[in-house]
Amino acid sequence: MKTFINKLNPPKALVLGFAIIILIGTFFLTLPIATVDANGLSFLDALFTATSATCVTGLIVVDTGDTFSIFGELVILFLIQIGGLGFMTFATLLFLLLGKKISLKERLLLKEAFNNVTIAGLVKLVKRILLFTALIEMIGGFILSIRFSFDMPVGKAFYFGYFHAISNFNNAGFDIVGDFKSLTEYVDDPFVVFTICALITIGGLGFIVINELYEYRGTKRLSVHTKIVLTTTFILTVGSTLLIFLFEYNNSKTIGPLSEWGKILGSLYQAVTPRTAGSNTLPIGDLTHSTLFLIIWLMFIGGGSGSTAGGIKITTFAVLVATMWCQMKGKEDVVLFRRRIVNETILKALTVTMCGMMIVVIVTIVLSLIEQRHSFMMYLFEATSAFGTAGLTMGLTPELSTGGRLLIILTMFVGRLGPLTIAFAITNRRKTEAFRHPKGKIMIG
């Protein structure tokens, strides 16, 4: 068995590792002790929930708060934490606790898991990730617990607070409010909105970015990667908040009845959560088509590389926009923050985006063939949410047929690991070609 594992390349090891975690989680969720109903959960529903939790998506076929017992909710929370940070992070922690040396193979796995460019300093980074995660979740959980204590008993408030802090920092979006209501009752509550938005945003920046920000006081330097992530995150958040505010201003089913301050808070939360968080304070099915299409686009973009978020990633989007802009201006080089972006990065960005678009298109078409009872917008929204591990839904998820659920399970799995990781896991990669074909000129545009 050990020899077999050692022969696996990093992408194959990551795919196998996540699959094993999902199956273990599925087993525990099928136990009668995991649900309020003694009859337990069906295998398919347990598999869907375990996949959604491990892939930090948040799509659910049964309501988490009404269906699962404390044991079941803790299993889901554990899967969220492993899925968000990556099983290699926890494996490294275990090795360190046992005094085991981290081998080159394990460092390569960490490099693949964090989408890092080098293996240097990865063990130190893992230690900091665990420290950052514990600190951020503790602070977020404490603030939410204090707020929830005004609405429920203190013990339940602390449980609610830390569950939602861990879920949202890992961009999972699972909630235990019950009745599929998510956090709609707190749409204009500044403590809940600002705290959860901060948790989602920090978790979606990526651990490389968080580590650079931590070291900034000493280095006084930020990499071009970190600058792109921070700048694009700010632009997307502010721009999306403004657009949703305008699109929904007179919508009586969403922010229309709220005060001006409530409208801003509702718009902000719904602008941040498509970055693959999954929770919502506005009823998704009641949003205007303009807002829904904007959310689809945000879910497809996702968060930062090496973060708890999904999607094609912010840096991919930024590189494509910069490439388009430079081509329109007739520039030969693509430059961001006075740094030239190499062609390899541009080609990878194009590949990731095209793979993502093809997956969303195919899943949308297949869903429309399987279900045939809903609007096209619901199929497109569901497919993008699953691929971007966003977890938002217009209400289609609980009504999916067996085939639809299996399709969404596969889409969430591919979305969490990334289409390139899956492709590299099932194909043989060659670094160099034996020969190069002659150049061919094609007219574009």
Side-chain angles (χ1 to χ4, degrees):
M1 182 66 179
K2 186 176 180 181
T3 304
F4 170 74
I5 294 175
N6 289 334
K7 287 182 178 180
L8 295 176
N9 59 26
K12 288 181 180 178
L14 286 178
V15 171
L16 180 62
F18 268 93
I20 291 173
I21 291 169
I22 289 171
L23 291 176
I24 293 173
T26 302
F27 167 75
F28 281 110
L29 291 179
T30 55
L31 298 177
I33 193 177
T35 55
V36 176
D37 188 346
N39 293 326
L41 206 63
S42 69
F43 176 80
L44 181 59
D45 288 349
L47 177 63
F48 192 103
T49 304
T51 304
S52 183
T54 307
C55 297
V56 289
T57 304
L59 289 174
I60 52 174
V61 289
V62 293
D63 186 81
T64 309
D66 295 333
T67 305
F68 295 99
S69 63
I70 297 295
F71 175 81
E73 290 173 357
L74 291 177
V75 170
I76 291 172
L77 203 60
F78 187 66
L79 292 174
I80 289 171
Q81 194 74 84
I82 293 180
L85 300 183
F87 72 92
M88 275 308 301
T89 302
F90 286 90
T92 303
L93 174 62
L94 180 61
F95 291 156
L96 293 173
L97 292 175
L98 296 175
K100 183 180 181 298
K101 186 177 179 181
I102 310 301
S103 67
L104 177 61
K105 176 73 174 181
E106 287 146 2
R107 291 172 191 267
L108 289 172
L109 278 170
L110 284 170
K111 174 179 175 292
E112 186 74 24
F114 291 124
N115 200 19
N116 204 14
V117 295
T118 177
I119 63 172
L122 280 175
V123 176
K124 180 181 178 182
L125 176 63
V126 168
K127 293 178 181 177
R128 284 188 176 176
I129 286 172
L130 294 168
L131 179 62
F132 293 153
T133 300
L135 183 63
I136 294 168
E137 290 177 350
M138 283 180 62
I139 294 173
F142 181 76
I143 296 173
L144 291 175
S145 299
I146 297 299
R147 173 60 189 88
F148 289 146
S149 66
F150 289 94
D151 300 332
M152 59 189 74
V154 175
K156 185 178 180 181
F158 270 80
Y159 177 63
F160 264 55
Y162 280 96
F163 185 99
H164 290 95
I166 294 172
S167 176
N168 284 285
F169 173 73
N170 287 284
N171 279 214
F174 276 82
D175 70 84
I176 50 176
V177 176
D179 198 27
F180 290 98
K181 292 188 297 185
S182 193
L183 298 171
T184 52
E185 294 180 357
Y186 299 94
V187 61
D188 56 353
D189 189 304
F191 288 97
V192 173
V193 170
F194 285 131
T195 302
I196 293 184
C197 282
L199 288 168
I200 294 170
T201 302
I202 294 171
L205 289 177
F207 297 113
I208 305 298
V209 174
I210 297 173
N211 189 53
E212 279 197 25
L213 292 174
Y214 174 77
E215 295 179 339
Y216 181 74
R217 291 175 61 182
T219 61
K220 301 296 180 184
R221 181 180 59 84
L222 294 176
S223 67
V224 64
H225 170 82
T226 296
K227 291 177 181 178
I228 291 173
V229 171
L230 293 177
T231 303
T232 311
T233 297
F234 177 79
I235 293 173
L236 287 176
T237 301
V238 174
S240 301
T241 301
L242 178 60
L243 288 175
I244 293 173
F245 181 83
L246 295 174
F247 294 157
E248 299 295 325
Y249 191 85
N250 294 317
N251 188 345
S252 61
K253 295 181 180 180
T254 55
I255 67 173
L258 301 175
S259 64
E260 295 301 311
W261 178 241
K263 286 181 171 67
I264 294 173
L265 290 177
S267 302
L268 172 65
Y269 196 98
Q270 216 48 64
V272 172
T273 194
R275 308 241 351 271
T276 80
S279 57
N280 58 284
T281 57
L282 298 177
I284 301 299
D286 293 330
L287 296 171
T288 63
H289 282 183
S290 300
T291 302
L292 289 172
F293 191 74
L294 174 63
I295 290 175
I296 288 172
W297 185 238
L298 293 173
M299 291 191 298
F300 185 74
I301 294 173
S305 297
S307 72
T308 58
I312 62 171
K313 301 299 186 295
I314 281 177
T315 44
T316 302
F317 173 70
V319 166
L320 291 181
V321 172
T323 302
M324 178 188 70
W325 179 251
C326 290
Q327 283 291 309
M328 290 172 62
K329 296 188 70 175
K331 293 184 177 180
E332 183 177 350
D333 294 330
V334 178
V335 179
L336 282 168
F337 294 99
R338 299 182 180 180
R339 292 292 186 272
R340 179 173 57 86
I341 309 301
V342 298
N343 288 334
E344 181 183 355
T345 301
I346 297 172
L347 290 175
K348 186 174 181 180
L350 287 168
T351 303
V352 169
T353 304
M354 288 305 300
C355 286
M357 290 179 64
M358 288 179 63
I359 291 170
V360 170
V361 169
I362 292 172
V363 173
T364 302
I365 292 173
V366 176
L367 273 180
S368 65
L369 292 172
I370 294 175
E371 304 302 324
Q372 295 186 344
R373 300 189 309 274
H374 305 279
S375 67
F376 173 78
M377 180 67 81
M378 292 183 76
Y379 301 134
L380 177 61
F381 196 97
E382 194 82 6
T384 310
S385 180
F387 169 74
T389 67
L392 296 174
T393 180
M394 294 176 65
L396 177 62
T397 311
E399 300 181 16
L400 288 171
S401 63
T402 299
R405 295 185 183 193
L406 290 172
L407 179 63
I408 294 299
I409 287 172
L410 180 61
T411 308
M412 290 189 293
F413 188 76
V414 173
R416 177 65 183 97
L417 287 166
L420 287 187
T421 299
I422 301 293
F424 293 159
I426 60 179
T427 59
N428 293 320
R429 298 176 64 186
R430 290 186 177 181
K431 294 292 183 180
T432 57
E433 298 288 345
F435 64 92
R436 300 184 72 182
H437 292 281
K439 291 182 179 180
K441 293 185 178 181
I442 303 174
M443 295 194 322
I444 300 293

